[in-house]
Amino acid sequence: MTAVASAAVLTLTAVSPLGALPAQADGPAQAPVNLALNGAASASSVELDRDTFAASQANDGSTQTRWSSKYVDDNWVQIKLARDAKVDHVTLVWPNACARDFAVQTSMDGATWTTVTRQQRATCPRTDEIDVKATARYVRMQGYQRWANFGYSISEFQVWDRPVQESLGIVPKPVSVSETGGPRYRLDPATSIAALGAGARAPAGRLAQVLRRSTGYRLPVVSAKTGPKPIVIQVGAGLGPAGRPEGYVLAANAAEITIRAATANGALNGVQTLRQLFPQWVESRTKVNAEWTVPPVRISDHPRFAHRGMMLDVARSFYPVNEVKKYIDTAAQFKINRLHLHLSDDQGWRIAIGDPADNPSGIDYGRLTSVSGGTAMTYNSAGQQMGTELGLTGYYTKADYAEIVRYAGANGMAVIPEIDMPGHTNAALHAIPQLNSEGSGPQPEPGQPTVPANGTPNVGYSSLDAANPATYEFTKHVLTEIAEMTPGPYLHIGGDESHSTGHANYTKMINAFTGQVNGLGKTVVAWNEAAGTALPQDNAVVQFWNGNRTSVAEAVTSRGAKVILSPAANTYVPQKQDSRQPQGGTWACGGVCGLDRHYGWDPGTFVPGIQETSVLGVESALWGEFIRRLPQAQYYSYPRLIATAEVGWTPQAQRDYPDFTRRLAALGGRLTVEGVNFFPTASVPWPTAATGTDKTVPAGSPAGATWTVTAPAAGDLTGTITWDDGVREDVTLTAERRASIPDMRANSTFTAVSNRTFGTPGTRTATLTARPSGGEPVEATLTVTVS
């Protein structure tokens, strides 16, 4: 798990490379203090009675040490503070031996204890941040149930005297952020967006598209800085952080906003950050009344890794082009820049391939889609349906694929197509008789030219034939056509789980396939099972998902390979993220793979024996055994894909899970406004927000005054409308979609409406107070003009 700093890591830095911060009129806010650092730790027991596991290791300010208990459930560790103090919250950093069931308790005398909260958690390792809000001399963690057979381990027991300062809520966290003081920038109806330099117009147009629909302003994209409160996007050599092509510099003050970058993609990254600086309502697809302001800020930012990817398995269950586009839309906001399409597998084939002029084996490539474009995931080996419905069939025409590539590129993403082989090839064998030869597997039934379709989730049973010349003729043509359709540098050949393929045959075929990709002028990508083959020297990428890391390191040192990291426990989103989910795997984590698992790892040290410079990046993987259509894909991907985005972008030393969850919480309403069906992780403090829409109505007509409320984690909302003449109305807030974990469904926005009628002209104001169960109420005011 990533180390968590012994003092709170704040989003705002004291000094920016862009210059020292001006003095604030009210003085800087006091930073929270970790009272545990000056306290005395004690515990009910110590593992092996060793000093290296003593209680004092839990409050020494280092996550490299730890307190560990003996191997029984009933154990505690406590901090005696230097004096009685107001405690705001406690942070517990569990390195590996977590508590499944524990309480945080406080005491004034060390004898009489008050339980602040008792929690049951299903992920490990993790970091827990727990509100206390009490005066205490002693703070204790009382364990009731361990994670496994070992004891409890806590590397840092932090006791904070005040809340962490509010951050700007930007995800991924930028390299350098400073609030510069002074008035906020306020978007003007006459504002224009200036696109300066080659490559600036596309990111400027993307920003205009977002802002126009929610603000209702014209926001023309122009070629010179002009008009009030301009937004300036400038692209040119030397304008962004030095040597960082995807980097950008953003500055906002009362007069203007500027984004400067060396490349168009760098400027687009700046645009995505600017979106998060505007209120969440900026993501609305219809006009909203809001204060369209941005805080005075300076940001200098660039990614840690070049590859920040997401894989979409379209082979087991198909996603139409419009759903792929929506999946791109959401991920692009968090600076995901690679779309890995898993286009073929045992269950289906999803890309159209034309017949070549030279076709020695007479293969009808159209059968790949006419036959295996019509197959998908269906039932498991016990005859039980996989997922809420059968897998969706279909395929992409060449025009479809070109549109996905174009759309991804417009959103800063390169497409990486994958044809999985020599295993995971049942769909190809089912479609093409010439591939069904003596060494292929499985074998066709007697009298049949091809193997049957297989919609089960079984893996490792299918294989191409290493001795069949048609195998290499087929793969060369398929890879050639896909290379011609894909402008990016990469082709993925799979190579995973070829359990039925003998080692010599596997090596022979992988060497041939990687050579074919190399001959096409592309860089081959393969899953880590292929790491031990003769990869093209200095022109290959190994994608790790599970298994032997040593072979990956050897591919780096001996073949000059780069590495993409997709460790299943940290990036596989079909794994359960909460024990309440009825569907999803648990094999990767021995239980749920929660948000903290997806955040709490370090790609730079994940593969022993290689340098961080050999790590190309990270990738989230969405497999399709049971996930159907876009809403379910979103529910399992988000917010975990956002965690992966920050893992790939933000420097390791600046990452901190509690800080991440606070910034992530601010995105909950934004995702809700966009209609993203995300899972509201229980440990994230999702806020409630509201806005009202001004209305003009004739006298005597119902006002139709309407408010919109976002409440990602709310069970029920109650609402009261208070008019300026003192009239109060209790209203029911309705939602098109109500949260249900079994149904993989998140809350949509809530709506409150007053149809009060006014008989005489005038202007009336009304305030909605919305109260989520167990949360703080929020208010929003609107104006009704009676004509």
Side-chain angles (χ1 to χ4, degrees):
M1 182 174 182
T2 182
V4 180
S6 59
V9 179
L10 305 182
T11 298
L12 306 182
T13 55
V15 178
S16 162
L18 296 168
L21 298 180
Q24 301 294 314
D26 299 327
Q30 275 191 296
V33 174
N34 179 9
L35 302 173
L37 293 175
N38 292 322
S42 58
S44 55
S45 69
V46 173
E47 182 181 3
L48 304 176
D49 296 319
R50 285 170 48 180
D51 291 344
T52 51
F53 296 141
S56 59
Q57 305 296 321
N59 67 327
D60 62 355
S62 172
T63 56
Q64 304 308 306
T65 58
R66 59 188 169 95
W67 161 74
S68 292
S69 75
K70 293 188 184 298
Y71 307 158
V72 294
D73 286 329
D74 184 9
N75 266 297
W76 53 261
V77 62
Q78 67 187 32
I79 307 294
K80 179 182 179 182
L81 305 178
R83 61 185 64 84
D84 296 352
K86 290 183 178 179
V87 176
D88 180 80
H89 66 282
V90 165
T91 301
L92 301 175
V93 182
W94 307 88
N96 44 37
C98 309
R100 290 185 185 273
D101 185 354
F102 72 101
V104 170
Q105 300 172 331
T106 60
S107 174
M108 295 301 296
D109 58 8
T112 302
W113 294 90
T114 299
T115 296
V116 174
T117 181
R118 182 167 175 174
Q119 297 192 0
Q120 291 78 40
R121 297 295 308 278
T123 58
C124 185
R126 66 177 192 265
T127 299
D128 291 327
E129 186 169 288
I130 299 158
D131 281 339
V132 175
K133 304 293 193 294
T135 299
R137 185 66 177 271
Y138 296 82
V139 184
R140 173 183 284 189
M141 186 291 296
Q142 171 65 59
Y144 297 108
Q145 184 184 7
R146 293 163 292 150
W147 181 259
N149 293 330
F150 295 100
Y152 302 100
S153 286
I154 292 178
S155 59
E156 275 299 292
F157 190 143
Q158 301 168 349
V159 181
W160 298 98
D161 66 341
R162 56 178 60 88
V164 175
Q165 295 174 17
E166 289 295 322
S167 71
L168 294 176
I170 303 171
V171 182
K173 185 177 185 178
V175 173
S176 172
V177 183
S178 59
E179 288 191 275
T180 54
R184 297 171 69 91
Y185 171 89
R186 186 175 299 274
L187 192 68
D188 190 285
T191 290
S192 61
I193 302 174
L196 309 180
R201 196 161 191 87
R206 181 71 181 113
L207 178 62
Q209 179 187 37
V210 171
L211 293 176
R212 284 169 183 160
R213 61 195 184 197
S214 54
T215 66
Y217 300 165
R218 284 186 61 243
L219 300 171
V221 177
V222 297
S223 57
K225 179 178 171 180
T226 184
K229 309 288 184 67
I231 299 175
V232 180
I233 299 177
Q234 188 173 8
V235 175
L239 291 179
R244 305 287 186 170
E246 287 191 271
Y248 64 94
V249 177
L250 185 155
N253 56 44
E256 66 178 10
I257 295 174
T258 61
I259 297 173
R260 295 186 174 90
T263 66
N265 276 4
L268 181 59
N269 287 329
V271 165
Q272 304 296 14
T273 295
L274 179 57
R275 287 172 69 171
Q276 293 186 32
L277 292 173
F278 276 105
Q280 67 176 32
W281 311 106
V282 78
E283 303 301 337
S284 173
R285 294 185 178 274
T286 57
K287 185 179 177 180
V288 176
N289 286 353
E291 295 289 326
W292 302 117
T293 65
V294 169
V297 67
R298 290 178 179 178
I299 298 172
S300 180
D301 197 16
H302 59 265
R304 179 184 182 187
F305 295 108
H307 181 107
R308 305 172 306 283
M310 61 180 185
M311 191 213 77
L312 188 62
D313 176 7
V314 300
R316 289 178 172 85
S317 186
F318 183 64
Y319 293 84
V321 173
N322 68 311
E323 293 190 2
V324 176
K325 286 183 173 182
K326 290 178 181 178
Y327 200 64
I328 289 170
D329 285 339
T330 307
Q333 296 175 68
F334 308 108
K335 306 179 179 71
I336 293 294
N337 69 343
R338 300 286 187 268
L339 172 62
H340 172 180
L341 290 175
H342 187 74
L343 292 166
S344 71
D345 213 300
D346 292 315
Q347 296 79 15
W349 185 283
R350 305 298 176 217
I351 183 69
I353 302 293
D355 290 336
D358 182 19
N359 192 354
S361 297
I363 295 173
D364 180 0
Y365 289 88
R367 286 178 56 86
L368 289 168
T369 48
S370 66
V371 174
S372 289
T375 61
M377 182 68 73
T378 53
Y379 305 96
N380 64 20
S381 54
Q384 299 166 322
Q385 180 175 299
M386 294 293 294
T388 56
E389 59 182 291
L390 297 181
L392 190 68
T393 61
Y395 66 91
Y396 303 117
T397 67
K398 291 187 176 184
D400 290 337
Y401 184 76
E403 175 59 14
I404 291 172
V405 169
R406 182 204 67 78
Y407 194 82
N411 282 276
M413 290 188 200
V415 172
I416 301 176
E418 179 188 355
I419 301 296
D420 205 349
M421 51 193 183
H424 289 273
T425 47
N426 196 86
L429 294 167
H430 176 56
I432 307 298
Q434 292 88 334
L435 297 180
N436 292 262
S437 49
E438 183 177 352
S440 64
Q443 287 290 293
E445 296 175 358
Q448 297 299 314
T450 64
V451 300
N454 189 351
T456 74
N458 296 343
V459 297
Y461 66 89
S462 63
S463 180
L464 298 174
D465 183 356
N468 183 357
T471 293
Y472 306 102
E473 179 186 331
F474 171 80
T475 59
K476 183 176 181 180
H477 176 61
V478 169
L479 292 171
T480 298
E481 285 228 338
I482 292 178
E484 291 172 351
M485 292 188 284
T486 309
Y490 302 109
L491 288 185
H492 203 306
I493 62 162
D496 60 316
E497 297 181 311
S498 297
H499 304 318
S500 67
T501 311
H503 178 71
N505 287 336
Y506 175 84
T507 301
K508 177 182 178 180
M509 285 189 281
I510 289 293
N511 288 344
F513 304 156
T514 58
Q516 289 172 345
V517 173
N518 194 51
L520 293 169
K522 298 285 188 177
T523 298
V524 68
V525 186
W527 296 106
N528 57 274
E529 287 92 330
T533 63
L535 298 171
Q537 188 68 42
D538 301 322
N539 194 34
V541 178
V542 175
Q543 185 166 5
F544 178 87
W545 71 279
N546 194 27
N548 188 350
R549 302 185 205 184
T550 301
S551 65
V552 175
E554 290 173 352
V556 172
T557 56
S558 66
R559 307 301 300 175
K562 296 291 187 181
V563 180
I564 294 170
L565 292 171
S566 297
N570 308 105
T571 64
Y572 271 33
V573 294
Q575 297 290 301
K576 286 187 180 184
Q577 58 196 316
D578 189 290
S579 58
R580 294 170 293 174
Q581 291 182 302
Q583 297 201 65
T586 56
W587 59 265
C589 297
V592 299
C593 294
L595 179 66
D596 45 3
R597 290 295 289 264
H598 281 242
Y599 189 83
W601 64 292
D602 182 359
T605 60
F606 187 83
V607 178
I610 69 171
Q611 300 297 313
E612 182 170 316
T613 52
S614 294
V615 179
L616 196 62
V618 298
E619 185 171 295
S620 175
L622 176 67
W623 297 101
E625 285 86 352
F626 70 90
I627 293 178
R628 302 288 175 263
R629 308 300 297 257
L630 178 67
Q632 293 183 16
Q634 292 176 333
Y635 199 71
Y636 274 78
S637 294
Y638 292 97
R640 290 183 291 181
L641 179 55
I642 302 175
T644 301
E646 179 151 311
V647 169
W649 183 279
T650 305
Q652 186 69 25
Q654 293 178 231
R655 294 204 297 112
D656 171 61
Y657 184 67
D659 174 61
F660 169 71
T661 58
R662 284 188 290 271
R663 287 179 286 112
L664 176 66
L667 298 177
R670 190 175 298 268
L671 293 171
T672 304
V673 170
E674 291 180 65
V676 177
N677 186 43
F678 71 99
F679 181 82
T681 306
S683 59
V684 176
W686 307 106
T688 301
T691 188
T693 303
D694 293 345
K695 199 80 181 286
T696 298
V697 295
S701 297
T706 303
W707 289 262
T708 301
V709 180
T710 59
D716 294 304
L717 285 175
T718 58
T720 303
I721 298 171
T722 305
W723 291 89
D724 53 4
D725 58 1
V727 173
R728 293 167 60 90
E729 302 175 68
D730 291 328
V731 291
T732 300
L733 286 91
T734 60
E736 292 183 3
R737 187 180 67 237
R738 298 301 297 269
S740 169
I741 290 177
D743 296 324
M744 295 176 272
R745 193 172 65 235
N747 285 333
S748 63
T749 56
F750 289 82
T751 302
V753 179
S754 170
N755 281 315
R756 186 182 178 190
T757 300
F758 297 94
T760 58
T763 300
R764 314 308 298 259
T765 61
T767 300
L768 170 72
T769 302
R771 301 177 183 86
S773 55
E776 294 294 321
V778 297
E779 294 185 345
T781 299
L782 57 74
T783 299
V784 174
T785 301
V786 184
S787 62

